[in-house]
Amino acid sequence: MAKEPTNKSSATNRKTAVQPDPKGSPNSPPAQGEKEKTAATTAPERRSPPSKKPEVEPAAKPKAEPVSAPETGQPSQPPGSKSVASAAPSKSEKVPAPASPKVLAAKPVGPVSSAAARAETVQPAVAEPPAQLEPADLAPTSVAAPAQPQSTHVEEPLPAEEPMSAEEPAPHHYHRPNLFIVQIAPEMAPVAKVGGLADVVFGLSRELAIRGNHVEIVLPKYDNMRYDHIYNLQVDYQDLWVPWYEGAIHCTVYFGFVYDRRCFFIEPHSNDNFFNRGSIYGFQDDVMRYAFFTRAAMEFLWKANKHPDVIHCHDWQTALAPVYLYEFYQRMGMTHPRVCLTIHNYQHQGVTGAELLRATGLHDTGRFFDYNRLRDNHHPNALNLLKGGIVYANFVTTVSPRYAFETKDQGQGFGLEPTLHTHHVKYGGVTNGIDYDVWNPEVDRHIPMRYGVDSLEGKYDNKRALRHRLMLADNEKPIVAFIGRLDPQKGLELVRHAIFYALERGAQFVLLGSSPYQGINNDFWGLKHMLNDSPDCHLEIGFNEELSHLIYAGADMMLVPSRFEPCGLTQMVALRYGTVPVVRSVGGLADTVFDKDYPDRPLHESNGYVFDHYDPPGLESALGRAIACYFEYPNDFRELMKNGMRSDYSWNRPGEDYLNIYDYIREK
Ligand code: ADP
C-alpha cells in the first residue's frame, strides 16, 4: 500500500531549513551554515543569489500610430513626453504608498516626463498596487499612471513639502468601463489546441467576460477542430471577400459558442485549402496561411462594423493584426481599436520572404523592408511577422515577467532583443493563469478520489490508483513525474538523467509525453524498453489528457527542468494538486516556484525546489533535496504541498492585469 509521509518531522530541521534570512533581506542568499544543514543528504548546487531585480521601466503611453524609432536601443520618444533627463520625480514629490518600496527604489530614470511622474504620484489609475511588478514587467499600474499626461490634474501644483507618509492613502476607486475585446488567435482550447496559447485564449476570455466585458474570439475554421465542443454553429457572415494578391478570396464566417465563449470561425474557399489539412501547423506555407487568416479576421471586423476597444492577438500567427490595422483599416474608418499582442514563445517568429508583401497588399517594399518595421534583424532578405507585431502593437506582453526580462535583456529573444529594447516602454510580462474549472482536485472527474488542502489523504488514494494503472510497485517510495512535450526546450537530457537518478535515490518515475519529431519519440521508446522491467518506472509516450489528471493527482513531485520556459502550465497545475514542483529557475518557472531551502520570500510561499544550472549536478541538487525531504522530513514536505495548494494561480490576477493594459491603451 502506498504510504503517505509519516509524522517524523524534526521541528529543528524545519527551523533551519526554512528560516528566513536573519538579516531580513529578502534577496540575500541564506547563510552558509544554514545551507549545509539543509543539504544533509545532497550537496545543493550553489545557487547564485537571486539576480538583482531588473528595473521596472517607466512608460510613456503608446500612441495610436506606431512610432518608428531606429533600432538603436534608444526608446522612441512618444509625442508629448519630455526629456529623459527630467524623468526622475523630485524628492519633494509624494511617493504613492501602495507600491512596494523595492519597486519604487527600482524606478529608473527613463523617458517619462516629470509631469507624468507627478501624475503617477497624484493619480493612480487603479486603487490596488499592481499584482506583479517584476523584471521587465511594465505592470499595468506602473504603466497606467503616467498614461494621463493630458489630464488637467497633472499640471496642478502638488502639496509642496508634505512629508512622506507611511500611512496608506485613502483608496482611489477607479471604475473601469466595460470593454469590447476581440481576440484573434490561431488556437483555442479545447476546439483547436496545440500548446499553452490555446489554454490562455480559453481561460482569459472567460475571465474577461465574467468581469463584465464583451469578448469575441476569431479563429480559423479548421477541418480537424473538436466540433463536438462547439454549440450552435451557424453561418454568421456569408460573403466575406478578403483581399489576397491581386484578387480576393471568398470566405464564410461561422458563429458558435465554445463553453459560453462567443467564437467566429473563418472558412476560406480557395484552392489553397488553408485550413482543411488535417492538422493545425506543420506546412510549408504556414506563414501565408496565417497572414491570410489575420487579414480575413480584420476584414471581417471592418465589414461587420465591429469596433472593439481592444484587439488582442497572439504570437507570430496573428502578429500582422496591428500592421493591417494601421496600414489599411485605420484610414478606412476603423479608428477606435487598439492592439495588444501577446508572445507565448519567441522561438517561432514567422520569418518569410518578400512574397508576403505581394500577397497581403503591403506593397511599399521600401517601407516594410525597413529595420524599423518588418525586416528581420538577422536575415536581411527576410521579413519577420512577430517583429512587425512588436513594432505596430500598442502594447506587447509575454507570459511571465521573468521571460519578459530574459527575452529583452538576457539573450532569450531569438534575435528580437534590439526590437524589444526599442519598444521597451510598451513591453511587459503577465504570468498566465490556469483554468480552475478544469484543474481542481476537489471536483476533478478524471481522478478516483477528490481531495483538497484539508483532505490531503485523498491524494494517496490517487497515488495507489496511478500505480495500479501503470503497474508500478506499491511501496513507500515517492513518485517523481514529468508531463510535457518531448521538445528540446523542455530539457530532455535532464529528464533522462532524472529518471536514473530518481530510481537510484529510491523514488519511482512516471513520464507522460510525446514529440512531433520521430527521432525523439524513438529515443524515449528505446528508454522505455530499457526500463521495461523496472517496477518503479513507467514511460507513457503519447498525449493523454485524462491520464495527465491522474498523474498530477497521484505523483509526489513534478519535474520541469526546461532550458527555457516562457510560463509553463505544468508546475502551476502541479501546485494546485499538491504535487511539489522541482524546476529550473527560468521564465515563468522562476516566477511561480519558490525554493524551500533558499527562501527569498515569506515561508508560507515556499512551494518547491529550484535549481539554476542546466546540468546533472544542478538537477540533482534540487531533486535530491526533494527526495530527501520526502523521506526524512515528511511534515515539512506536507507543508510545501499545502503551500502550493493554497496559492492562487487562477486567471483572477492575470485577468486584472490584462484589463489594466487594455484600459491603458484604449482610446479615451
Ligand atoms: P507548452 O505550452 O510549452 O507545451 P506548458 O507547460 O505551457 O507547455 O503547457 C503544457 C500543457 O499540456 C500542460 O497542461 C500539460 O499537462 C499538457 N500536456 C503536455 N504534454 C501532454 C501529454 N503528453 N499528455 C497530456 N497532457 C499533456
Side-chain angles (χ1 to χ4, degrees), residues 562-578:
S562 304
R563 280 181 179 277
F564 70 94
E565 193 60 74
C567 178
L569 299 177
T570 350
Q571 83 283 4
M572 289 197 275
V573 177
L575 287 167
R576 183 83 175 129
Y577 282 72

Side-chain angles (χ1 to χ4, degrees), residues 195-196 483-485 490 512-514 542-545 548 552 568-570:
I483 300 176
R485 287 182 296 121
K490 299 290 174 186
L512 170 62
S514 65
F543 190 96
N544 189 333
E545 176 96 28
S548 77
Y552 283 118
L569 299 177
T570 350

Side-chain angles (χ1 to χ4, degrees), residues 99 285 346 643:
D285 61 343
Y346 276 80
N643 286 351

Side-chain angles (χ1 to χ4, degrees), residues 128-404:
E128 292 283 308
Q132 298 159 342
L133 277 169
E134 290 288 339
D137 180 12
L138 292 179
T141 310
S142 67
V143 291
Q148 323 278 349
Q150 303 94 335
S151 160
T152 49
H153 287 79
V154 170
E155 299 306 332
E156 281 175 16
L158 291 168
E161 295 298 324
E162 203 173 306
M164 273 173 58
S165 160
E167 281 174 29
E168 292 273 316
H172 297 258
H173 291 292
Y174 174 74
H175 291 291
R176 195 192 297 117
N178 294 338
L179 302 178
F180 176 17
I181 300 147
V182 172
Q183 307 240 17
I184 302 180
E187 303 175 32
M188 189 185 77
V191 289
K193 170 169 168 167
V194 174
L197 188 167
D199 296 308
V200 170
V201 176
F202 185 74
L204 177 61
S205 299
R206 154 74 69 84
E207 184 66 33
L208 298 172
I210 58 180
R211 287 161 180 265
N213 301 284
H214 183 85
V215 184
E216 296 181 353
I217 303 153
V218 186
L219 297 156
K221 187 166 178 291
Y222 298 105
D223 58 349
N224 62 328
M225 277 197 306
R226 292 288 305 270
Y227 285 91
D228 53 325
H229 291 292
I230 306 175
Y231 173 70
N232 210 11
L233 187 66
Q234 52 187 278
V235 172
D236 181 82
Y237 197 104
Q238 185 73 58
D239 295 313
L240 180 72
W241 289 92
V242 180
W244 195 241
Y245 286 97
E246 283 72 40
I249 292 181
H250 179 225
C251 299
T252 304
V253 184
Y254 292 77
F255 175 83
F257 289 97
V258 177
Y259 300 99
D260 295 340
R261 288 138 185 98
R262 305 169 62 83
C263 300
F264 294 91
F265 301 94
I266 296 185
E267 178 182 62
H269 311 287
S270 83
N271 293 336
D272 297 299
N273 211 23
F274 282 136
F275 305 119
N276 295 323
R277 302 185 184 186
S279 82
I280 293 182
Y281 305 127
F283 304 99
Q284 205 205 330
D285 61 343
D286 274 356
V287 173
M288 286 299 184
R289 293 168 69 224
Y290 288 99
F292 176 80
F293 163 65
T294 309
R295 183 71 203 262
M298 294 301 293
E299 188 76 10
F300 170 59
L301 296 185
W302 181 57
K303 293 261 175 68
N305 214 9
K306 291 177 185 285
H307 294 278
D309 295 291
V310 173
I311 296 171
H312 192 159
C313 56
H314 298 266
D315 271 352
W316 69 266
Q317 294 92 324
T318 56
L320 282 180
V323 181
Y324 293 143
L325 176 67
Y326 289 116
E327 294 293 344
F328 300 135
Y329 292 96
Q330 195 175 57
R331 66 179 81 104
M332 286 155 72
M334 212 166 153
T335 54
H336 187 65
R338 299 291 179 264
V339 183
C340 174
L341 164 69
T342 293
I343 300 172
H344 299 257
N345 192 328
Y346 276 80
Q347 198 172 13
H348 310 287
Q349 301 183 355
V351 177
T352 189
E355 181 75 1
L356 175 93
L357 300 182
R358 270 192 57 222
T360 54
L362 297 165
H363 287 306
D364 188 344
T365 310
R367 180 173 170 82
F368 299 109
F369 248 110
D370 185 304
Y371 283 112
N372 291 326
R373 289 195 169 78
L374 270 72
R375 191 174 199 164
D376 187 76
N377 293 343
H378 294 280
H379 305 96
N381 297 323
L383 297 160
N384 185 318
L385 270 55
L386 195 60
K387 176 175 172 177
I390 295 170
V391 171
Y392 279 78
N394 301 96
F395 208 93
V396 182
T397 69
T398 190
V399 290
S400 67
R402 177 67 75 102
Y403 192 55

